[in-house]
């Protein structure tokens, strides 16, 4: 009996020691490092912050048009396969901050156009990096321009969770609204078009205070990975585009334009 008690005590002590060691290891584990500069892309924070539900119904009640968005993560894209699958429009990451340019931009931007798609470019915003005007000029000069050829969509401002640090980039809601306004005004001065705003409702509410003042000019591209689009940011009564999944066929990020193909073309024409 004494031997059994001694063995039980020793086992308990060993287990307690292991638990303490595990807890100490967890406490001293290094934090996950941020991703490398330039690696940000549309929707990379959606699942972490908003979660992910099911896919929307395959046959939407209103006519909608399938699209995709791509960045350097997709590399050289098989545009012919996407076109054959029913994808008719695309957005391609052009720039990030004030120094990054997508090395696959030409293949993606021209390749989508060459198979017949209506395409546009987007800029991943880093509001803690430089002013909105500076980033809008960088974008417009490096792939984010626009022409009335019926096949080029206005540039999109990708404004969402900061993958490199604090989710609101260290800005108050008023400062964030001012930064976005600076970007939008400069982009319109450069191109003659109002930029599309890509965002997620939860981020917009947190980081802009749910500001409603851009809805009258900028089309909304909302990110939500679920069966319905859900609540929209303040001011917008409807969405123009909806990024509904990051796990779609051929390339992950799939979207629906809220209208038939002629409405996509109308947005391109301005």
């Amino acid at each position: 009996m004494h031997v059994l008690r001694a063995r039980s005590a020793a086992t308990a002590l060993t287990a307690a020691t292991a638990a303490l060691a595990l807890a100490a290891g967890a406490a001293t584990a290094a934090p996950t490092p941020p991703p490398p500069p330039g690696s940000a892309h549309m929707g990379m924070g959606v699942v972490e912050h908003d979660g992910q539900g099911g896919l929307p119904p395959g046959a939407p009640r209103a006519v909608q048009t399938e699209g995709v968005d791509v960045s350097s993560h997709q590399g050289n894209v098989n545009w012919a396969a996407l076109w054959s699958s029913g994808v008719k429009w695309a957005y391609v990451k052009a720039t990030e901050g004030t120094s990054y340019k997508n090395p696959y931009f030409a293949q993606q931007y021209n390749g989508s156009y060459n198979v017949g798609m209506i395409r546009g470019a987007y800029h991943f915003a880093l509001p803690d990096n430089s002013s909105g005007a500076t980033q809008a000029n960088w974008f417009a000069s490096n792939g984010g321009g626009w022409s009335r050829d019926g096949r080029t969509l206005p540039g999109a401002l990708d404004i969402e969770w900061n993958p490199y640090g604090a989710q609101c980039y260290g800005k108050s809601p008023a400062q964030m609204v001012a930064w976005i306004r600076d970007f939008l005004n400069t982009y319109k001065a450069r191109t003659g078009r109002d930029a599309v705003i890509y965002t997620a409702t939860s981020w917009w509410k947190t980081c802009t205070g749910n500001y409603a003042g851009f809805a009258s000019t900028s089309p909304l591209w909302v990110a939500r990975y679920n069966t319905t689009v859900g609540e929209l940011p303040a001011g917008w009564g409807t969405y123009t585009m909806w990024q509904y999944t990051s796990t779609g066929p051929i390339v992950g990020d799939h979207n629906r334009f809220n209208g038939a193909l002629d409405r996509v073309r109308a947005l391109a024409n301005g």
Side-chain angles (χ1 to χ4, degrees), residues 53-99:
L55 294 174
R61 295 176 186 175
V63 176
Q64 297 185 329
T65 308
E66 192 77 4
V68 296
D69 60 90
V70 297
S71 66
S72 63
H73 290 270
Q74 283 76 32
N76 291 320
V77 175
N78 187 342
W79 291 110
L82 282 166
W83 176 262
S84 296
S85 73
V87 173
K88 301 304 177 186
W89 60 274
Y91 265 94
V92 176
K93 181 181 178 182
T95 52
E96 176 180 324
T98 54
S99 59

Coordinates of all heavy atoms in Angstrom, one line a residue, residues 53-99:
G53 N -19.1 31.4 -42.7 CA -20.3 30.5 -42.7 C -20.4 29.7 -44.0 O -19.4 29.5 -44.6
G54 N -21.6 29.4 -44.4 CA -21.8 28.6 -45.6 C -21.7 29.6 -46.8 O -21.7 30.8 -46.7
L55 N -21.8 28.9 -48.0 CA -21.8 29.7 -49.2 C -23.3 30.2 -49.5 O -24.2 29.5 -49.1 CB -21.4 28.8 -50.4 CG -19.9 28.4 -50.4 CD1 -19.6 27.4 -51.5 CD2 -19.0 29.6 -50.5
P56 N -23.4 31.3 -50.2 CA -24.8 31.7 -50.6 C -25.4 30.7 -51.6 O -24.7 29.9 -52.2 CB -24.5 33.1 -51.3 CG -23.1 33.0 -51.7 CD -22.4 32.2 -50.7
P57 N -26.7 30.8 -51.8 CA -27.4 29.9 -52.7 C -26.8 30.0 -54.1 O -26.3 31.0 -54.5 CB -28.8 30.3 -52.7 CG -29.0 31.0 -51.4 CD -27.7 31.7 -51.1
G58 N -26.7 28.9 -54.8 CA -26.2 28.8 -56.1 C -26.9 29.6 -57.2 O -26.4 30.1 -58.1
A59 N -28.2 29.8 -56.9 CA -29.1 30.6 -57.9 C -29.7 31.8 -57.2 O -30.7 31.7 -56.6 CB -30.2 29.7 -58.5
P60 N -29.0 32.9 -57.2 CA -29.5 34.1 -56.4 C -30.8 34.6 -57.0 O -31.1 34.4 -58.2 CB -28.4 35.1 -56.6 CG -27.6 34.7 -57.8 CD -27.7 33.2 -57.9
R61 N -31.6 35.2 -56.1 CA -32.9 35.7 -56.6 C -32.8 36.7 -57.7 O -33.5 36.7 -58.7 CB -33.7 36.3 -55.4 CG -34.0 35.2 -54.3 CD -34.6 35.9 -53.1 NE -34.8 35.0 -52.0 CZ -35.3 35.3 -50.8 NH1 -35.6 36.6 -50.6 NH2 -35.4 34.5 -49.8
A62 N -31.9 37.6 -57.5 CA -31.7 38.7 -58.5 C -30.5 38.2 -59.4 O -29.7 37.4 -59.0 CB -31.4 40.0 -57.9
V63 N -30.5 38.7 -60.6 CA -29.4 38.4 -61.5 C -28.1 39.0 -61.0 O -28.0 40.2 -60.6 CB -29.7 38.9 -62.9 CG1 -28.5 38.7 -63.8 CG2 -30.9 38.3 -63.5
Q64 N -27.1 38.2 -60.9 CA -25.8 38.6 -60.4 C -24.7 38.0 -61.3 O -24.9 37.0 -62.0 CB -25.5 38.2 -59.0 CG -26.5 38.8 -58.0 CD -26.2 38.5 -56.5 OE1 -25.7 37.5 -56.2 NE2 -26.5 39.4 -55.7
T65 N -23.5 38.6 -61.3 CA -22.5 38.3 -62.2 C -21.2 37.9 -61.5 O -20.7 38.7 -60.6 CB -22.2 39.4 -63.2 OG1 -23.4 39.8 -63.8 CG2 -21.2 39.0 -64.3
E66 N -20.7 36.7 -61.7 CA -19.5 36.2 -61.0 C -18.2 36.9 -61.4 O -18.0 37.2 -62.5 CB -19.4 34.7 -61.3 CG -18.4 33.9 -60.4 CD -19.0 33.7 -59.0 OE1 -20.2 34.0 -58.8 OE2 -18.3 33.1 -58.1
G67 N -17.4 37.1 -60.3 CA -16.1 37.8 -60.5 C -15.1 37.2 -59.6 O -15.5 36.5 -58.6
V68 N -13.8 37.6 -59.8 CA -12.8 37.1 -58.9 C -11.9 38.3 -58.6 O -11.9 39.3 -59.3 CB -11.9 36.0 -59.5 CG1 -12.7 34.7 -59.7 CG2 -11.3 36.4 -60.8
D69 N -11.1 38.2 -57.5 CA -10.0 39.1 -57.2 C -8.7 38.3 -57.0 O -8.8 37.3 -56.4 CB -10.3 40.1 -56.1 CG -10.6 39.4 -54.8 OD1 -9.6 39.2 -54.0 OD2 -11.8 39.0 -54.5
V70 N -7.6 38.9 -57.4 CA -6.4 38.1 -57.4 C -5.2 39.1 -56.9 O -5.3 40.3 -57.1 CB -6.0 37.5 -58.7 CG1 -7.0 36.4 -59.1 CG2 -5.9 38.5 -59.8
S71 N -4.2 38.5 -56.5 CA -3.0 39.2 -56.1 C -1.8 38.3 -56.4 O -1.9 37.3 -57.1 CB -3.0 39.5 -54.6 OG -2.9 38.4 -53.8
S72 N -0.6 38.7 -55.9 CA 0.6 37.9 -56.1 C 0.4 36.4 -55.6 O 1.2 35.5 -56.0 CB 1.8 38.5 -55.6 OG 1.7 38.6 -54.1
H73 N -0.5 36.2 -54.6 CA -0.6 34.9 -54.0 C -1.1 33.9 -55.1 O -0.8 32.7 -55.0 CB -1.7 35.0 -52.9 CG -1.2 35.7 -51.7 ND1 -0.6 35.0 -50.7 CD2 -1.2 37.0 -51.3 CE1 -0.2 35.9 -49.7 NE2 -0.6 37.1 -50.1
Q74 N -1.8 34.3 -56.1 CA -2.3 33.4 -57.1 C -1.3 33.2 -58.3 O -1.5 32.3 -59.1 CB -3.6 34.0 -57.8 CG -4.8 33.8 -56.9 CD -4.9 34.7 -55.7 OE1 -4.5 35.9 -55.8 NE2 -5.5 34.3 -54.6
G75 N -0.2 34.0 -58.3 CA 0.8 33.9 -59.4 C 0.1 34.0 -60.8 O -0.8 34.9 -61.0
N76 N 0.6 33.2 -61.7 CA 0.0 33.3 -63.1 C -1.3 32.6 -63.1 O -1.4 31.4 -62.7 CB 1.0 32.6 -64.1 CG 2.2 33.4 -64.3 OD1 2.2 34.6 -64.3 ND2 3.4 32.7 -64.4
V77 N -2.4 33.3 -63.4 CA -3.7 32.8 -63.3 C -4.2 32.2 -64.6 O -3.9 32.6 -65.7 CB -4.7 33.9 -62.9 CG1 -6.1 33.5 -62.9 CG2 -4.3 34.5 -61.5
N78 N -5.0 31.1 -64.5 CA -5.5 30.4 -65.6 C -6.9 31.1 -66.0 O -7.9 30.7 -65.6 CB -5.8 28.9 -65.3 CG -6.3 28.2 -66.6 OD1 -6.7 28.7 -67.6 ND2 -6.2 26.8 -66.5
W79 N -6.7 32.2 -66.7 CA -7.9 33.0 -67.0 C -8.9 32.3 -68.0 O -10.1 32.5 -67.8 CB -7.4 34.4 -67.6 CG -6.8 35.2 -66.6 CD1 -5.4 35.5 -66.6 CD2 -7.4 35.8 -65.5 NE1 -5.2 36.3 -65.5 CE2 -6.3 36.5 -64.8 CE3 -8.6 35.9 -65.0 CZ2 -6.5 37.3 -63.6 CZ3 -8.9 36.6 -63.8 CH2 -7.8 37.3 -63.1
A80 N -8.4 31.5 -68.9 CA -9.3 30.8 -69.8 C -10.2 29.9 -69.0 O -11.4 29.8 -69.3 CB -8.5 30.0 -70.8
A81 N -9.7 29.2 -68.0 CA -10.5 28.3 -67.2 C -11.5 29.1 -66.4 O -12.7 28.6 -66.3 CB -9.6 27.5 -66.3
L82 N -11.1 30.2 -65.9 CA -12.1 31.0 -65.1 C -13.2 31.5 -66.0 O -14.4 31.5 -65.7 CB -11.4 32.2 -64.5 CG -10.6 31.9 -63.2 CD1 -9.7 33.0 -62.8 CD2 -11.6 31.6 -62.0
W83 N -12.8 32.0 -67.2 CA -13.8 32.5 -68.2 C -14.8 31.4 -68.5 O -16.0 31.6 -68.6 CB -13.1 33.0 -69.4 CG -14.1 33.4 -70.5 CD1 -14.5 32.7 -71.6 CD2 -14.7 34.7 -70.6 NE1 -15.3 33.5 -72.4 CE2 -15.5 34.7 -71.8 CE3 -14.7 35.9 -69.8 CZ2 -16.3 35.8 -72.2 CZ3 -15.5 36.9 -70.2 CH2 -16.3 36.9 -71.4
S84 N -14.3 30.2 -68.8 CA -15.2 29.1 -69.1 C -16.1 28.6 -68.0 O -17.2 28.1 -68.2 CB -14.3 27.8 -69.5 OG -13.6 28.1 -70.7
S85 N -15.7 28.9 -66.8 CA -16.5 28.6 -65.6 C -17.6 29.6 -65.3 O -18.4 29.4 -64.4 CB -15.6 28.4 -64.3 OG -15.1 29.7 -63.9
G86 N -17.6 30.7 -66.0 CA -18.6 31.7 -65.9 C -18.2 33.0 -65.2 O -19.0 33.9 -65.0
V87 N -16.9 33.2 -64.9 CA -16.4 34.4 -64.3 C -16.2 35.4 -65.4 O -15.6 35.2 -66.5 CB -15.0 34.1 -63.7 CG1 -14.4 35.5 -63.2 CG2 -15.2 33.2 -62.5
K88 N -16.8 36.6 -65.2 CA -16.9 37.6 -66.3 C -16.2 38.9 -65.9 O -16.0 39.8 -66.8 CB -18.3 37.9 -66.7 CG -19.1 36.7 -67.2 CD -18.4 36.0 -68.3 CE -19.1 34.8 -68.8 NZ -18.4 34.0 -69.8
W89 N -15.7 39.1 -64.7 CA -15.0 40.3 -64.3 C -14.0 40.0 -63.2 O -14.1 38.9 -62.5 CB -16.0 41.4 -63.8 CG -16.8 41.0 -62.6 CD1 -18.0 40.4 -62.6 CD2 -16.5 41.3 -61.2 NE1 -18.5 40.3 -61.3 CE2 -17.6 40.8 -60.4 CE3 -15.5 42.0 -60.6 CZ2 -17.6 40.9 -59.1 CZ3 -15.5 42.1 -59.2 CH2 -16.6 41.6 -58.4
A90 N -13.0 40.8 -63.1 CA -11.9 40.6 -62.2 C -11.3 41.9 -61.7 O -11.3 42.9 -62.4 CB -10.8 39.7 -62.8
Y91 N -10.8 41.8 -60.4 CA -10.0 42.9 -59.9 C -8.6 42.3 -59.5 O -8.5 41.2 -59.0 CB -10.6 43.5 -58.7 CG -11.4 44.8 -59.0 CD1 -12.8 44.7 -59.2 CD2 -10.8 46.0 -59.0 CE1 -13.5 45.9 -59.4 CE2 -11.5 47.2 -59.3 CZ -12.9 47.1 -59.5 OH -13.6 48.2 -59.8
V92 N -7.6 43.1 -59.9 CA -6.2 42.6 -59.7 C -5.5 43.6 -58.7 O -5.5 44.8 -58.9 CB -5.5 42.6 -61.0 CG1 -4.0 42.2 -60.8 CG2 -6.2 41.6 -62.0
K93 N -4.8 43.1 -57.7 CA -4.0 43.9 -56.9 C -2.9 44.6 -57.7 O -2.1 43.9 -58.3 CB -3.4 43.2 -55.7 CG -2.6 44.1 -54.7 CD -2.0 43.3 -53.6 CE -1.2 44.2 -52.7 NZ -0.6 43.5 -51.6
A94 N -2.8 45.9 -57.6 CA -1.7 46.6 -58.3 C -0.6 47.0 -57.3 O 0.5 46.8 -57.6 CB -2.3 47.8 -59.0
T95 N -1.1 47.6 -56.2 CA -0.1 48.3 -55.3 C -0.5 48.1 -53.9 O -1.6 47.8 -53.5 CB 0.0 49.8 -55.6 OG1 -1.3 50.3 -55.6 CG2 0.6 50.0 -57.0
E96 N 0.4 48.4 -53.0 CA 0.2 48.5 -51.5 C 1.1 49.5 -51.0 O 2.3 49.6 -51.3 CB 0.6 47.1 -50.9 CG 0.5 47.0 -49.4 CD 0.9 45.7 -48.9 OE1 0.5 44.6 -49.5 OE2 1.5 45.6 -47.8
G97 N 0.6 50.4 -50.1 CA 1.4 51.4 -49.5 C 1.9 52.4 -50.5 O 1.2 52.9 -51.4
T98 N 3.2 52.6 -50.5 CA 3.9 53.5 -51.4 C 5.1 52.9 -52.1 O 5.9 53.7 -52.7 CB 4.2 54.8 -50.7 OG1 5.0 54.6 -49.6 CG2 3.0 55.6 -50.3
S99 N 5.3 51.6 -51.9 CA 6.5 51.0 -52.5 C 6.3 49.7 -53.2 O 7.1 49.3 -54.0 CB 7.6 50.9 -51.4 OG 7.2 50.0 -50.4

